[in-house]
Amino acid sequence: MEDTRYLTFALGKGRLAKKTLELFEKIGITCESMKDSATRKLIFVNEDLKFRFFLAKGPDVPTYVEYGAADIGVVGEDTILEENRNIYEVLDLGFGKCRMCVCGPKDAKELLQHHELIRVASKYPRIAKEYFYNKKYQTVEIIKLNGSIELAPIVGLSEVIVDIVETGSTLRENGLDVLEEVCPLSARMVVNPVSMKMENERITRLITALREELDKE
Ligand code: PRP
């Protein structure tokens, strides 16, 4: 039989990876070795299907896929927008639903309405810039942070933040509100453009099976 090449998947670590593997199981793609939470292994193989899986930090997933180190990736739409890589977005997986929002104390709403020159803290400077400069035509100063973004308006680093809101409890517990919605988000499957050509049949079969499964839910 002709030697089939491995298809390599990069999954964003954490909840998205868990949900992705659950979905894959439903269409008969399993990877038992990946379920061992104690393992320090980084790459997992399903020899029968010739699939390889690895876990990566979310923002690195589009990088692995763009360079072809992974054929396929699963990552949040927020990361895809922020990383702006040369990859194909092929499927909305429907989970990991949340919203990208401008948040802050209630009284900051006025600063947004009056297009004041304010400071905006975010883990997503590209998304923040795109929203304020190209959608709202508001000049702002964007400050890049790496986490716990809600702190910024509380301690006076910025007037507002651009961040993900899922349940809203982080905002509530810190006395902040959603002031404007930037866009809805969910987990997406992405594909390397060359892989899409070279492995078109296998990848198309996979996308079709996933789409059918998602339609049932
Ligand atoms: C994300 C996001 C918010 C929070 C929103 O942070 O940046 O802080 O989750 O979720 P909620 O609306 O359900 O409260 P994450 O936990 O990923 O960590 P981070 O603050 O270090 O980015």
Side-chain angles (χ1 to χ4, degrees):
M1 205 183 101
E2 181 195 331
D3 241 357
T4 314
R5 141 185 197 282
Y6 282 99
L7 268 192
T8 304
F9 293 75
L11 309 181
K13 266 184 201 167
R15 253 181 311 171
L16 283 193
K18 194 166 171 274
K19 286 263 188 194
T20 305
L21 293 173
E22 282 168 15
L23 175 66
F24 279 12
E25 276 210 36
K26 290 185 190 161
I27 60 162
I29 297 171
T30 52
C31 195
E32 288 306 317
S33 55
M34 222 170 170
K35 290 182 182 165
D36 175 6
S37 55
T39 185
R40 299 291 294 165
K41 263 177 78 154
L42 295 171
I43 191 142
F44 306 89
V45 183
N46 179 323
E47 289 293 352
D48 298 333
L49 295 169
K50 292 278 185 191
F51 284 172
R52 297 198 302 178
F53 299 88
F54 67 84
L55 299 175
K57 285 238 176 197
D60 294 339
V61 169
T63 313
Y64 282 108
V65 176
E66 179 179 77
Y67 283 91
D71 301 285
I72 295 172
V74 174
V75 70
E77 172 79 350
D78 49 315
T79 305
I80 297 170
L81 293 171
E82 185 61 29
E83 294 298 315
N84 195 34
R85 295 276 175 179
N86 178 26
I87 50 180
Y88 291 159
E89 198 183 305
V90 295
L91 193 61
D92 182 349
L93 296 169
F95 50 77
K97 280 202 165 93
C98 50
R99 300 180 293 155
M100 186 65 72
C101 296
V102 181
C103 312
K106 265 196 187 63
D107 56 12
K109 204 167 178 86
E110 222 171 290
L111 305 171
L112 295 172
Q113 280 159 357
H114 298 149
H115 285 62
E116 304 260 356
L117 176 56
I118 51 171
R119 290 203 282 212
V120 179
S122 186
K123 200 155 74 171
Y124 303 92
R126 175 186 284 275
I127 296 176
K129 189 173 177 199
E130 165 72 24
Y131 179 71
F132 278 98
Y133 282 71
N134 297 340
K135 207 164 169 194
K136 282 184 59 103
Y137 304 111
Q138 178 172 1
T139 304
V140 296
E141 183 183 345
I142 293 164
I143 301 171
K144 159 93 171 87
L145 289 179
N146 294 295
S148 304
I149 316 297
E150 291 81 358
L151 265 174
I154 298 171
V155 298
L157 177 65
S158 70
E159 280 79 15
V160 298
I161 60 173
V162 168
D163 200 18
I164 288 173
V165 178
E166 192 183 353
T167 60
S169 56
T170 310
L171 290 180
R172 259 192 311 277
E173 287 184 32
N174 291 289
L176 304 172
D177 286 295
V178 169
L179 304 174
E180 289 176 358
E181 184 172 322
V182 177
C183 60
L185 302 166
S186 59
R188 304 292 162 110
M189 179 173 279
V190 293
V191 178
N192 171 275
V194 177
S195 306
M196 196 68 217
K197 284 198 190 80
M198 304 301 284
E199 295 290 337
N200 190 272
E201 206 191 308
R202 286 169 87 193
I203 295 176
T204 305
R205 218 184 308 138
L206 171 70
I207 295 169
T208 306
L210 287 170
R211 197 172 278 141
E212 279 171 12
E213 183 58 39
L214 291 168
D215 284 346
K216 283 187 212 161
E217 290 174 5

